[in-house]
Structure formats: C-alpha cells, structure tokens
Amino acid sequence: MTSRITEGAEPKHQQLRRILLDLATTRLAPGAAIPSERQLIAEYGVSRITVREALGQLVNEGYLERVRGKGTFVAHRPVQSTLHLASFTEEMRALGHVPTTVVLVREERVPPADTAAALRLGEGDTAHHLKRLRMADGAPVSVDDAWLSASAFPGLLERDLSGSVYSLAADVYATPIDRAQQTVAATPAADDVATLLGTRTGAPLLEFDRVSWSGERPVEHARSWYRSDRYRVQMEVTARRAPA
C-alpha cells in the first residue's frame, strides 16, 4: 500500500485521503478493515491529525465507516436504483451487483384483510405467502414480504424461489406482472427486520408497499424494507404543463 507522502502543493491529508480512497474502492472488499491510525502514522510518517483528517473525510463521504472499539472499515456502498417495475434480481444484475436470496417463509394461507382486499379475494380464500431476505454482493439490502394470488400461480411454492418471481410469472405462468402502484415511507426498523438486515432496532429504513397487476388482475401485494444506507432511489421529475 506504500506510496510516498511528501511536502508540496497538495496537503498531506489529501495525499493520504487519495491513497486510502484507492484502497477502499479498488483493493479491499466492503467490510474489510483499514489499517489502524498507528499503522498509518508509522507507514507514511504523518501526524495523527493528518490521519484523522483523511479518515474523517472518507467517513463523511460514505467510503469508510467507524465501529466504536473495533476500528475503521470499508463501507458498503449504497445501491442506486431508479424507480421502475423490475424484480430485485433483475434490478441488481442490471446495476452490476450479484443478487442472492434466502427464503425465510413459503406457505399458503388466508392473508391479512388488507392483502385480501388488494388481491380481490373472497372470505377464506388463501394466497401464497413468500418472505425473503435479499442481498447484493453478499450484503443484506432488503426483507421482502409478499403475498401472491394462488389461482394465478398454482404450484408456485414448489418452485425455486431464490431468483426472480416476476420471471416465473411471465415465463412459466404466462402472467407477466406489467404494472404496480406503490408507496414509499421512512420507518424505523422492527426487531426482527433489524436482525435480518444486520442493523440496529429503530434504524431508518425505506418501506415500500406495492400492489402489482397482470393486465387488469391484481396478483401481488408486497411490503419491502430496505436499509437506507445501502439502497437509494433516484428519480427524474418534470414540471406539469398546463393544457394548451
């Protein structure tokens, strides 16, 4: 890692910041430890103030994160998503990440009243319940809790549910999910969700509540909780034009 730090036009803390930024973005994986302050002082012959200034800048910029009593680590860079209808698997691959899924719950039972209404189910009708932990590059990103129409997707729970359910809907059931309505809200992490996402109880999450259709038929009601430090939503907004 050694690179010379010298007196010159560029301040020493900026030279060290550049070295550490290269280390964090090209040579170490997220979660890897950065050398200690003592090691950096000895290796580069700089002061503790210089080291703390360089580290502080990278922490503020989101490249590094400090863990009290343990040290400084490469931060998990947030996934940057645009608002559009796509499965988690498809979206992560399109963004250059490696998606993985842990299936937590797969069952068929009577859903909650709001889900039954969203899916236009009769009293006592059942639906597929699918709860999954979704990860990008091995880091937990979201917990998805979905209910899917049992009549639209018979036998769904016997299939491989570690990939894209939207692809199964289109390719196996000829029932492509082509539109959705969803709301997004900020919410504190509940105990169980915080444990799954590897964060603290009460940490800020993005909660998505979505009803999805295939044509005119509602086929999915899902709630998803995303770590706000690992997932960001980008959107383009335009001014509403008055009619001519």
Side-chain angles (χ1 to χ4, degrees):
M1 190 178 71
T2 302
S3 179
R4 289 184 60 82
I5 290 181
T6 59
E7 296 285 356
E10 184 181 25
K12 288 185 177 181
H13 72 270
Q14 290 290 9
Q15 295 179 57
L16 182 58
R17 177 196 172 279
R18 180 161 40 80
I19 293 167
L20 294 175
L21 178 61
D22 176 69
L23 186 68
T25 56
T26 66
R27 301 171 64 182
L28 291 179
I34 292 291
S36 68
E37 289 185 4
R38 181 176 299 177
Q39 289 174 295
L40 294 173
I41 290 168
E43 183 164 356
Y44 294 105
V46 294
S47 69
R48 186 175 298 273
I49 292 175
T50 296
V51 170
R52 289 185 173 176
E53 178 68 21
L55 291 174
Q57 287 185 9
L58 292 172
V59 169
N60 291 337
E61 293 165 6
Y63 292 102
L64 302 178
E65 58 185 354
R66 289 193 177 104
V67 179
R68 186 180 296 275
K70 294 185 177 180
T72 305
F73 300 84
V74 179
H76 292 274
R77 302 290 288 162
V79 174
Q80 186 84 6
S81 173
T82 55
L83 277 179
H84 63 288
L85 183 59
S87 75
F88 180 90
T89 301
E90 295 164 345
E91 183 177 41
M92 293 302 107
R93 286 176 178 161
L95 292 170
H97 300 282
V98 178
T100 52
T101 295
V102 177
V103 178
L104 304 171
V105 174
R106 62 166 83 204
E107 62 181 357
E108 182 173 343
R109 65 181 180 87
V110 176
D114 60 337
T115 296
L119 296 180
R120 300 176 187 168
L121 301 180
E123 185 176 355
D125 286 348
T126 60
H128 298 317
H129 182 208
L130 178 60
K131 186 174 182 178
R132 299 181 291 176
L133 173 64
R134 318 305 298 271
M135 294 177 283
D137 304 325
V141 174
S142 73
V143 174
D144 296 347
D145 195 356
W147 293 84
L148 296 115
S149 169
S151 59
F153 308 118
L156 176 68
L157 299 182
E158 282 70 55
R159 298 189 176 274
D160 179 6
L161 301 175
S162 62
S164 169
V165 170
Y166 281 23
S167 292
L168 288 175
D171 300 339
V172 176
Y173 294 97
T175 307
I177 295 174
D178 48 26
R179 68 185 179 95
Q181 289 184 344
Q182 72 178 6
T183 59
V184 184
T187 187
D191 289 346
D192 57 337
V193 174
T195 298
L196 290 169
L197 292 179
T199 190
R200 59 179 174 80
T201 299
L205 303 179
L206 294 175
E207 180 179 347
F208 292 76
D209 191 316
R210 182 180 67 252
V211 178
S212 306
W213 279 265
S214 179
E216 297 303 311
R217 181 182 187 182
V219 294
E220 178 197 41
H221 180 215
R223 288 187 176 91
S224 303
W225 296 270
Y226 284 77
R227 280 187 58 150
S228 60
D229 59 341
R230 294 186 182 170
Y231 188 85
R232 294 177 183 171
V233 178
Q234 179 181 357
M235 64 193 76
E236 180 177 331
V237 294
T238 58
R240 177 176 293 178
R241 296 179 182 272

